[in-house]
Amino acid sequence: MSETYIDRFPAEAKVVRSAFYGSFLALAIGGLMGIIQTLHRTGYYRFIDSADYYTVLTAHGVFLVISFTIFFLVGIFTWAITTSLDREVEDIRFTWGWYALMAIGITLTGIAILAGFTDATDISSSVLFTFYAPLQAHPMFYLGLVLFVVGTWLAGADWFRSWWAWKQENPGERIPLPTFMVLTTMIMWYIATLGVATAILLFLLPWSLGLIDSVNPTLTRTLFWFFGHPVVYFWLMPAYMMWYIMLPKVSGGKLFSDPLARVVFILFLVLSVPTGIHHQYLDPGIAEGFKFIAMTNTMFLLLPSFLTAFTVVASMEHGARQRGGTGYFGWLKALPWRDPVFSGMALAGLMFAAAGFSGMINAGMNINYLVHNTFWVVGHFHLTVGTGVALTFMAVTYWFLPQVTGKALWSRSVGLAQVVTWFVGMTFMSNAMHRAGLLGIPRRTAEPLYEGFEYSAVVGSVGELQAQIALGGLLLSLSLLLFFANVIGTVLNGKSDSLPANEYAGTLSGPEDSPRVLDNLKLWTGIAIVLVIFAYTFPLLSIIERGGLFGPDVIEYVPISVDSLPLLVGAIELVFANTLAAIGDGGTALLEGVTR
Ligand code: HAS
Ligand code: CU
């Protein structure tokens, strides 16, 4: 049967389509801000006031990492659930409900940011996507974010509801892989967003409304990063989902291992949250010992990405050999490089491998001192979210858009040119950003070159780095124009009846090759919660103890360290006791599963 998604799920296709359009609109606004700030920072073309730079940067960050990514992923998650369970959503009005909530929320936040450009109102929210106190936004900024996040919670509820209904009708069956990926990602997201919800509802929103006079900045920062690290996996896991279930198929083969893919998503669920403090290695108000725990967890968290690199490349190789590829590396030539869906994802993966290395450097507690708050970090996240995720999303759009509109892709060659320009542009921009960071050039400023201070490069010059960044930025903008041309061209196309069927990759090794305990979502959720409690209870308590729940306005900071060994021993005991209690029956099941 060659049925497209829109044939099988016409009502859901509309929601997915609307999610994409919301996402692309955000991409357009965010992208525009990107080129403005690149040219401004590098000094090539300046037409905004440097004082407005924070407004541009806030819009760039929020529109791209919050609205572009999350709207896109709720679209593909809806697709994944309906397709893999082969059932419609339980109630399409509910589905539109969460979509509307997300749309209203982000519109409010967007207005609160963009209003910063005009003096006509005193609304402004130039607080960057991290909205740290003491930077304060207009209440509408926080309120919008709350609605947006509640929208994503309801979206998750929608998907859990579908799975639950399916489970009643298919007792004892293994959860289909795409659904498994959506559910584990969403549990991770529910835990992660508790941090940001607490920060906003208890502290930042009341403070911005004038209900409380002050906040404890270390506390709100820590709550932000409780969410701020796992949010990066909220962007990444949908991209990984595509690498697992789409990339093998477009490579002409099958997914190497379904069980390994499940293990990867479980590891993300369990380890994503208790690592957030790796963004705060330089925060003086947090003890070294807690930072060390975050670092250790982060290093473990590399594992699912290494497993992914292995599984995905093995699947690509399998595909290439099916297509007649041979040799140790010769098979690479047999891959469908002319297909933008394939090459976009493969290039995104290749860049993401480099991103992983800069991430490992960030994650080292001592070496982080060298790169923190420099342009290096900006280079890092343009490779991760800006390429690993964004390029994957753009590449799969060339497959999804026909599926949800019933119209053929406007141009494959424009698509190919688009993904290649993105890759090349990002190579210039990110590489130069990393190098600039090593010279100490700071991030988050319109004026990165201080007067009377010379940055000296070991190789090349600062001017050369600036030129590469500007060139990269221009190529990225060109790439975006090509992308939008293709999206608009496709939407304006007539209906086509020769579209490929709505299918995802089969597997070489299926779920039956793995213990059933992998599907025990309660167990993994329990372990995830225990680890979070372990990683965060003591740091939060100590931050509150020192700075007050609502903080005095100004706190004098002195570096602190964990000087009481008994505290650490007590914490470890607590974790073991809790883990044992949480595992309970699950632990027995695990043993049985493994020794089966
Ligand atoms: Fe990060 C800062 C550590 C991953 C995003 N990160 C950031 C910020 C963002 C961000 C936005 O420890 C800045 C936030 C801010 O505004 O301050 N990051 C890591 C580590 C990882 C990591 C250890 N980051 C990500 C991902 C992101 C993201 C993913 C978004 C999607 N990051 C940090 C740290 C900081 C940080 C510190 C704070 C820095 C500071 O001082 O401020 C790891 O998850 C990375 C693991 C990845 C790998 C790569 C595996 C390779 C694969 C490729 C397979 C190849 C294929 C293609 C498929 C180990 C999977 C093959 C193709 C062929 C042709 C063969
Ligand atoms: Cu992080």
Side-chain angles (χ1 to χ4, degrees):
M1 95 187 157
S2 161
E3 209 182 23
T4 57
Y5 186 72
I6 190 172
D7 293 338
R8 170 73 181 85
F9 300 106
E12 287 79 359
K14 260 192 204 157
V15 181
V16 178
R17 212 156 65 204
S18 309
F20 287 168
Y21 295 158
S23 161
F24 299 155
L25 180 63
L27 180 62
I29 306 175
L32 180 66
M33 299 296 154
I35 188 66
I36 294 175
Q37 72 203 21
T38 308
L39 295 176
H40 189 92
R41 250 193 84 115
T42 51
Y44 281 96
Y45 182 64
R46 297 190 147 199
F47 67 94
I48 57 158
D49 191 2
S50 279
D52 283 334
Y53 186 82
Y54 260 24
T55 312
V56 175
L57 188 53
T58 306
H60 179 66
V62 172
F63 280 114
L64 291 180
V65 302
I66 305 292
S67 9
F68 159 60
T69 49
I70 299 183
F71 265 116
F72 195 86
L73 75 88
V74 295
I76 60 177
F77 275 5
T78 304
W79 165 85
I81 290 280
T82 44
T83 300
S84 68
L85 298 177
D86 193 24
R87 69 184 292 134
E88 290 157 15
V89 296
E90 298 309 298
D91 179 355
I92 194 79
R93 284 167 309 177
F94 184 78
T95 308
W96 279 114
W98 57 252
Y99 176 82
L101 208 55
M102 285 176 66
I104 295 169
I106 206 65
T107 307
L108 292 179
T109 300
I111 293 174
I113 299 170
L114 296 176
F117 284 119
T118 147
D119 294 332
T121 89
D122 54 3
I123 299 177
S124 92
S125 309
S126 304
V127 293
L128 308 187
F129 95 98
T130 41
F131 48 90
Y132 294 147
L135 295 180
Q136 193 186 54
H138 188 272
M140 192 158 75
F141 173 89
Y142 304 110
L143 189 73
L145 283 182
V146 170
L147 296 181
F148 183 78
V149 169
V150 172
T152 63
W153 287 349
L154 296 178
D158 201 6
W159 303 323
F160 268 94
R161 198 171 155 195
S162 282
W163 165 63
W164 194 252
W166 172 88
K167 195 172 138 97
Q168 307 310 312
E169 290 164 23
N170 300 273
E173 263 194 56
R174 296 300 290 264
I175 309 175
L177 185 61
T179 297
F180 182 85
M181 291 171 157
V182 172
L183 300 184
T184 39
T185 306
M186 288 316 290
I187 301 173
M188 186 282 285
W189 180 242
Y190 284 124
I191 301 176
T193 41
L194 289 179
V196 75
T198 313
I200 293 183
L201 292 176
L202 247 53
F203 305 110
L204 297 173
L205 184 57
W207 174 57
S208 153
L209 286 168
L211 302 176
I212 53 174
D213 294 334
S214 64
V215 297
N216 175 343
T218 311
L219 179 60
T220 46
R221 270 170 81 93
T222 307
L223 288 170
F224 177 83
W225 285 117
F226 179 105
F227 147 91
H229 180 71
V231 74
V232 313
Y233 297 117
F234 193 49
W235 310 323
L236 182 70
M237 288 159 79
Y240 272 12
M241 178 172 92
M242 290 294 110
W243 296 0
Y244 279 105
I245 67 176
M246 197 63 83
L247 189 55
K249 187 172 159 57
V250 290
S251 311
K254 290 181 170 178
L255 171 61
F256 182 71
S257 165
D258 163 303
L260 214 51
R262 283 177 207 252
V263 169
V264 164
F265 275 69
I266 291 171
L267 285 171
F268 277 125
L269 161 59
V270 169
L271 288 170
S272 289
V273 186
T275 50
I277 292 178
H278 70 215
H279 291 263
Q280 298 177 282
Y281 288 143
L282 266 96
D283 281 23
I286 299 175
E288 297 285 292
F290 300 138
K291 294 176 180 169
F292 186 82
I293 293 173
M295 172 172 78
T296 312
N297 288 345
T298 306
M299 296 303 174
F300 278 115
L301 189 48
L302 295 173
L303 187 64
S305 287
F306 285 134
L307 290 176
T308 299
F310 170 78
T311 319
V312 172
V313 176
S315 311
M316 281 167 62
E317 180 179 348
H318 173 254
R321 295 197 188 280
Q322 300 307 301
R323 299 166 61 94
T326 51
Y328 275 129
F329 294 108
W331 56 267
L332 282 166
K333 285 187 298 208
L335 288 166
W337 289 103
R338 302 203 143 272
D339 176 1
V341 182
F342 169 81
S343 42
M345 277 195 277
L347 293 176
L350 213 55
M351 275 269 175
F352 187 71
F357 288 105
S358 68
M360 287 174 220
I361 289 165
N362 296 344
M365 237 170 109
N366 47 359
I367 208 166
N368 179 272
Y369 289 16
L370 184 68
V371 296
H372 184 67
N373 277 347
T374 71
F375 226 21
W376 167 284
V377 176
V378 187
H380 163 71
F381 65 70
H382 280 86
L383 292 183
T384 51
V385 63
T387 306
V389 174
L391 186 54
T392 298
F393 286 0
M394 291 189 271
V396 296
T397 298
Y398 300 137
W399 185 84
F400 273 114
L401 208 53
Q403 289 294 323
V404 295
T405 55
K407 298 168 177 183
L409 183 66
W410 179 61
S411 166
R412 248 168 83 108
S413 15
V414 170
L416 194 60
Q418 185 267 314
V419 298
V420 172
T421 16
W422 193 270
F423 182 81
V424 176
M426 208 50 105
T427 305
F428 279 114
M429 195 177 89
S430 279
N431 185 43
M433 282 174 166
H434 278 97
R435 284 176 53 205
L438 291 181
L439 307 183
I441 296 184
R443 64 181 285 202
R444 299 192 189 103
T445 171
E447 311 290 344
L449 302 174
Y450 297 109
E451 260 175 59
F453 183 87
E454 287 290 317
Y455 292 96
S456 51
V458 180
V459 202
S461 67
V462 172
E464 168 243 311
L465 294 177
Q466 305 271 47
Q468 286 198 45
I469 292 171
L471 172 65
L474 286 171
L475 286 173
L476 293 169
S477 305
L478 172 65
S479 177
L480 279 184
L481 290 179
L482 296 177
F483 178 73
F484 292 124
N486 223 344
V487 168
I488 294 169
T490 306
V491 172
L492 296 180
N493 249 346
K495 292 266 177 200
S496 157
D497 37 69
S498 58
L499 295 174
N502 176 34
E503 283 168 351
Y504 55 90
T507 55
L508 287 175
S509 159
E512 63 287 352
D513 294 334
S514 67
R516 296 193 78 90
V517 68
L518 290 186
D519 287 10
N520 186 340
L521 296 177
K522 275 192 205 137
L523 169 68
W524 307 119
T525 309
I527 296 178
I529 292 174
V530 170
L531 284 179
V532 172
I533 293 174
F534 180 37
Y536 271 105
T537 313
F538 294 102
L540 286 175
L541 287 178
S542 108
I543 289 167
I544 294 169
E545 194 181 54
R546 297 178 64 247
L549 191 56
F550 295 99
D553 263 331
V554 180
I555 308 173
E556 191 198 340
Y557 276 119
V558 282
I560 57 166
S561 54
V562 180
D563 47 13
S564 57
L565 197 60
L567 181 73
L568 210 61
V569 174
I572 292 171
E573 270 176 13
L574 183 82
V575 164
F576 277 111
N578 278 343
T579 316
L580 285 179
I583 294 181
D585 303 345
T588 332
L590 177 71
L591 283 179
E592 275 167 10
V594 174
T595 52
R596 184 176 60 131

